[in-house]
C-alpha cells in the first residue's frame, strides 16, 4: 500500500516575492533610496531562507532553562538558551536590525526607519521571536539617545558586531498592578558612586538573558502615582558578563502560551545597583514613554510581518493540496478566504509602515502619540484573527504541533497583550485625542484620500467620506469629555474605527501613487479594505475574482 504524504508549505524569497513590500519601499524611499536598500534587504532575505529558518526551529524546539544554584549551592541564576537563539542574536546585530536608525549619515535620512521596518518585516516571523529583545533594545537605545547619549550602553545596544552588541529587557509590570503601573512598589534609593539601589519584584520580564534592562522604580521621596516613577538602567551581570548583579534573583521562567523561545521571568531586586536614566528627582514616566512608543511600533511590525508570512504558508499549501474538484487554490470559497487575508495583511503593513515613517520624521510629535497605540491595537487584533484563519486553512495539519503551524496562533496572541491590551491602548487613544491636535491630522488625511479617490473609485470614496464624518462627530464627543462612562465604554470601538479609517486613507494614498505608474493592484486592495471595513460590504465575489492580483 502506498501511503500519501502531503508536501509541507514552501517559503519563497520573502523580499522578491512580496510585490506590496517593494511597492511601498519604492514610494516611501524613492527609486534611489530603494535601490540603496536592496542589497541589505536581499542579504537578510537569503539568511531567512537558510540559516535563520534552521536557527528559528532550533530555538523553538529547545526552550530556555533556568539554573538557580550550582552543584555546591552557590546562587548562579544562569539562563541557558539554544544555539539557534544565539544565531538569531548574532544575525540581529550583523544585519543592523537595531543599529541602522542610529548610524550617522545614512542615505535615507529620517526614512531610515522605513528600511528598518522592512528588515523587521522580513526577519521577524523567522526570528524565534528574537524580535522581542530587538524591540526592547531599540526602545532603550531611543531613550538613551534622548537622555544619556554618551552612555557606553548605547554604543553596545547599537553595535553591529555580534561580540559587542547587547539587547535590553524592560521591567515595568508588577503582580499587584499589571498595566496599572501607578501601583508599582519597586523603590530606588541613592547608593555609592552615583548609582542607585533598586528593591522590589517585577512580574513579567522578557528576554531575561539580556545584558541590561530598563526598569521603572519610585525614587526615594517621590510622590505617588505613575508620573513620578523613573526609569533606571539595570546591568544584568557584573563586569565579567556571567555573574548575576548582586541582589538580583530570577524567581522562575514563565511557562507561556507562545513566544516560547524567549526567556521570560519573574525578577526579585534586593538593593540591585542601577543607573538613573535622567534626573530621578524629575517625574520620569514621560521619559519612559519614549521606549514604550518604539516597542509598540515593533509590536505592529511583528503583527504585519507574521500575517504576511502566514499568508505565504497558506498560499503554498493551497497550491499543492488536492481536493474534490481539483487544487484547493482554485476553489472559489478558499480563494475568497485567502484574498481577504491578503487585504488584511496589506492593511496591517500600511499602518505599521506609516508608524515607522512618523517615528523617523517626528518621534515626539502629537501624531505619533495617537498613531502608536492605534497601530499596535489594530494590527494586534488583525494578527490573531488572521492566525486563526491560517491554522484553519491547513485543516487538521494546522492543529498538529510539529507542523509548526500552531505556533502562528500561539505567538500572535501575545501581540494584543504585550505593551498594553486593546482596552489599555484604547484609553491611551482617548488621552491622545485631548492633547495637541488630537485626531485632526488623521481625519484630514482621510478627507484628502477620499477626495483624491472620488474620480477613480467613487463608491470607495463615498464609504470613506461617510465613515470619516461619523468618526469626526464621535471624536469630538470623546475629546470633550474623555472620562464620561459612555465614552470610556465605547473607547475600544472608537479606537478600532480610527485605526481602520487611517488604514483606508493610507492604502488609498498608496493606490493613487501606484495608479500613476500603471499599477492598479494597490487600488484593488484599498477598495476592498475600505468597502469591507468601513462600508460593511460583502466583497467575497471580488476577493475570488481578483485573487491573483491580491496575493
Amino acid at each position: 500500500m502506498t501511503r500519501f504524504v502531503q508536501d509541507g508549505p514552501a517559503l519563497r524569497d520573502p523580499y522578491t516575492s512580496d510585490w506590496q513590500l517593494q511597492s511601498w519601499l519604492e514610494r516611501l524611499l524613492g527609486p534611489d533610496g530603494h535601490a540603496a536598500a536592496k542589497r541589505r534587504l536581499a542579504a537578510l532575505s537569503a539568511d531567512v531562507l537558510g540559516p535563520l529558518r534552521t536557527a528559528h526551529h532550533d530555538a523553538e524546539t529547545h526552550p530556555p532553562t533556568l539554573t538557580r544554584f550550582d552543584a555546591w549551592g552557590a546562587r548562579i541564576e544562569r539562563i541557558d538558551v539554544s544555539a539557534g537563539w544565539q544565531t538569531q542574536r548574532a544575525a540581529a546585530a550583523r544585519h543592523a536590525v537595531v543599529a541602522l536608525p542610529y548610524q550617522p549619515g545614512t542615505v535615507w535620512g529620517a526614512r531610515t526607519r522605513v528600511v528598518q521596518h522592512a528588515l523587521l518585516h522580513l526577519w521577524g516571523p523567522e526570528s524565534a521571536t528574537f524580535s522581542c529583545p530587538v524591540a526592547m533594545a531599540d526602545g532603550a537605545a531611543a531613550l538613551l539617545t534622548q537622555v544619556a547619549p554618551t552612555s557606553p550602553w548605547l554604543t553596545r545596544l547599537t553595535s553591529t558586531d555580534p561580540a559587542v552588541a547587547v539587547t535590553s529587557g524592560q521591567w515595568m509590570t508588577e503582580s499587584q498592578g499589571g498595566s496599572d503601573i501607578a501601583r508599582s512598589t519597586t523603590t530606588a534609593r541613592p547608593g555609592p558612586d552615583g548609582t542607585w539601589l533598586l528593591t522590589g519584584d517585577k512580574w513579567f520580564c522578557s528576554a531575561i538573558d539580556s545584558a541590561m534592562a530598563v526598569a521603572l522604580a519610585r525614587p526615594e521621596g517621590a510622590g505617588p502615582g505613575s508620573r513620578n516613577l523613573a526609569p533606571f538602567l539595570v546591568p544584568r551581570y557584573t563586569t565579567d558578563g556571567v555573574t548575576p548583579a548582586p541582589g538580583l534573583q530570577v524567581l522562575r521562567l514563565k511557562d507561556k502560551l507562545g513566544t516560547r523561545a524567549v526567556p521570560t521571568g519573574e525578577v526579585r531586586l534586593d538593593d540591585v545597583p542601577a543607573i538613573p536614566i535622567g534626573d530621578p528627582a524629575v517625574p520620569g514616566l514621560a521619559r519612559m514613554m519614549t521606549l514604550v512608543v518604539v516597542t509598540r511600533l515593533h509590536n505592529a511590525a511583528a503583527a504585519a510581518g507574521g500575517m504576511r508570512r502566514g499568508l505565504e504558508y497558506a498560499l503554498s499549501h493551497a497550491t499543492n493540496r488536492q481536493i474534490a474538484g481539483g487544487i484547493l487554490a482554485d476553489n472559489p470559497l478558499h480563494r475568497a478566504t485567502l484574498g481577504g487575508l491578503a487585504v488584511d495583511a496589506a492593511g496591517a503593513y500600511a499602518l505599521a509602515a506609516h508608524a515607522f515613517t512618523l517615528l523617523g520624521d517626528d518621534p515626539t510629535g502629537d501624531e505619533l502619540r495617537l498613531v502608536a497605540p492605534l497601530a499596535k491595537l489594530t494590527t494586534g487584533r488583525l494578527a490573531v484573527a488572521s492566525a486563526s484563519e491560517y491554522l484553519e486553512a491547513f485543516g487538521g495539519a494546522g492543529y498538529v504541533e510539529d507542523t509548526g503551524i500552531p505556533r502562528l496562533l500561539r505567538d500572535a496572541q501575545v501581540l494584543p497583550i504585550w505593551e498594553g491590551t486593546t482596552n489599555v491602548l484604547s484609553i491611551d487613544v482617548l488621552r491622545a485625542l485631548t492633547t495637541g491636535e488630537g485626531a485632526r491630522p488623521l481625519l484630514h488625511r482621510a478627507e484628502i484620500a477620499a477626495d483624491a479617490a472620488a474620480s477613480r473609485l467613487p463608491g470607495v470614496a463615498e464609504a470613506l467620506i461617510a465613515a470619516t464624518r461619523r468618526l469626526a462627530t464621535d471624536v469630538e464627543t470623546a475629546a470633550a469629555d474623555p472620562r464620561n462612562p459612555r465614552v470610556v465604554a465605547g473607547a475600544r470601538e472608537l479606537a478600532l474605527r480610527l485605526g481602520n479609517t487611517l488604514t483606508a486613507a493610507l492604502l488609498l494614498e498608496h493606490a493613487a501613487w501606484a495608479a500613476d505608474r500603471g499599477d492598479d493592484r494597490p487600488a484593488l486592495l484599498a477598495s476592498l479594505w475600505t468597502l469591507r471595513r468601513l462600508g460593511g460590504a460583502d466583497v467575497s465575489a471580488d476577493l475570488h475574482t481578483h485573487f491573483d492580483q491580491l496575493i
Side-chain angles (χ1 to χ4, degrees), residues 356-434:
F356 271 83
T357 302
L358 288 177
L359 181 63
D361 290 344
D362 189 7
T364 61
D366 290 336
E367 189 173 359
L368 183 59
R369 183 181 179 186
L370 175 61
V371 169
L374 285 180
K376 195 271 186 188
L377 71 87
T378 304
T379 59
R381 297 198 66 78
L382 283 171
V384 174
S386 294
S388 179
E389 290 282 7
Y390 295 139
L391 265 66
E392 194 172 337
F394 282 86
Y399 203 66
V400 177
E401 190 65 48
D402 59 3
T403 65
I405 306 303
R407 184 189 60 78
L408 297 174
L409 182 57
R410 289 191 286 101
D411 287 356
Q413 187 58 68
V414 77
L415 297 169
I417 296 175
W418 190 62
E419 291 298 6
T421 63
T422 305
N423 284 359
V424 169
L425 290 164
S426 298
I427 299 302
D428 281 356
V429 169
L430 287 184
R431 294 191 187 101
L433 294 179
T434 64

Side-chain angles (χ1 to χ4, degrees), residues 99 239 348:
T239 53

Side-chain angles (χ1 to χ4, degrees), residues 37 132 320 442 503:
C132 171
N320 289 294
L442 187 159
T503 303

Side-chain angles (χ1 to χ4, degrees), residues 94-388:
R94 193 172 60 254
H95 288 285
V97 181
V98 174
L100 190 63
Y102 302 93
Q103 294 176 346
T106 67
V107 298
W108 308 286
R111 293 298 169 93
T112 303
R113 284 287 185 182
V114 173
V115 182
Q116 180 195 33
H117 174 234
L119 293 171
L120 293 167
H121 189 75
L122 296 173
W123 170 68
E126 245 73 37
S127 71
T129 329
F130 198 84
S131 52
C132 171
V134 157
M136 295 184 292
D138 192 2
L143 176 58
L144 290 176
T145 298
Q146 282 195 4
V147 181
T150 61
S151 170
W153 285 99
L154 177 59
T155 301
R156 299 190 67 189
L157 287 166
T158 58
S159 174
T160 57
D161 181 353
V164 175
V166 299
T167 57
S168 177
Q170 181 178 337
W171 300 352
M172 295 179 63
T173 59
E174 300 179 12
S175 58
Q176 74 281 359
S179 296
D180 182 10
I181 58 174
R183 301 177 65 192
S184 297
T185 59
T186 299
T187 59
R189 63 182 182 86
D193 303 323
T195 64
W196 285 57
L197 303 175
L198 270 55
T199 298
D201 286 353
K202 293 296 183 180
W203 187 78
F204 207 93
C205 303
S206 288
I208 193 64
D209 62 326
S210 293
M212 58 162 281
V214 178
L216 274 181
R218 195 175 306 281
E220 189 176 72
S226 60
R227 67 183 298 270
N228 290 308
L229 297 170
F232 291 82
L233 192 158
V234 183
R236 173 77 171 78
Y237 304 98
T238 59
T239 53
D240 65 8
V242 176
T243 305
L248 192 153
Q249 298 179 44
V250 181
L251 301 181
R252 62 168 176 157
L253 293 184
K254 301 287 193 181
D255 185 9
K256 298 168 293 179
L257 170 67
T259 65
R260 293 176 178 173
V262 184
T264 303
E266 293 181 33
V267 175
R268 174 160 295 166
L269 308 169
D270 186 5
D271 277 351
V272 174
I275 305 163
I277 304 177
D279 185 352
V282 177
L285 184 61
R287 293 196 297 278
M288 188 67 172
M289 288 307 296
T290 296
L291 186 156
V292 171
V293 165
V294 171
T295 53
R296 284 177 173 176
L297 268 53
H298 277 258
N299 198 96
M307 290 168 69
R308 180 68 196 184
R309 195 62 47 83
L311 177 65
E312 180 72 14
Y313 287 135
L315 177 63
S316 173
H317 179 70
T319 57
N320 289 294
R321 180 67 174 170
Q322 289 278 351
I323 61 168
I327 299 294
L328 180 57
D330 293 334
N331 178 273
L333 180 55
H334 199 68
R335 287 164 66 88
T337 301
L338 292 184
L341 292 167
V343 173
D344 287 347
Y349 180 83
L351 197 48
H354 177 58
F356 271 83
T357 302
L358 288 177
L359 181 63
D361 290 344
D362 189 7
T364 61
D366 290 336
E367 189 173 359
L368 183 59
R369 183 181 179 186
L370 175 61
V371 169
L374 285 180
K376 195 271 186 188
L377 71 87
T378 304
T379 59
R381 297 198 66 78
L382 283 171
V384 174
S386 294
S388 179

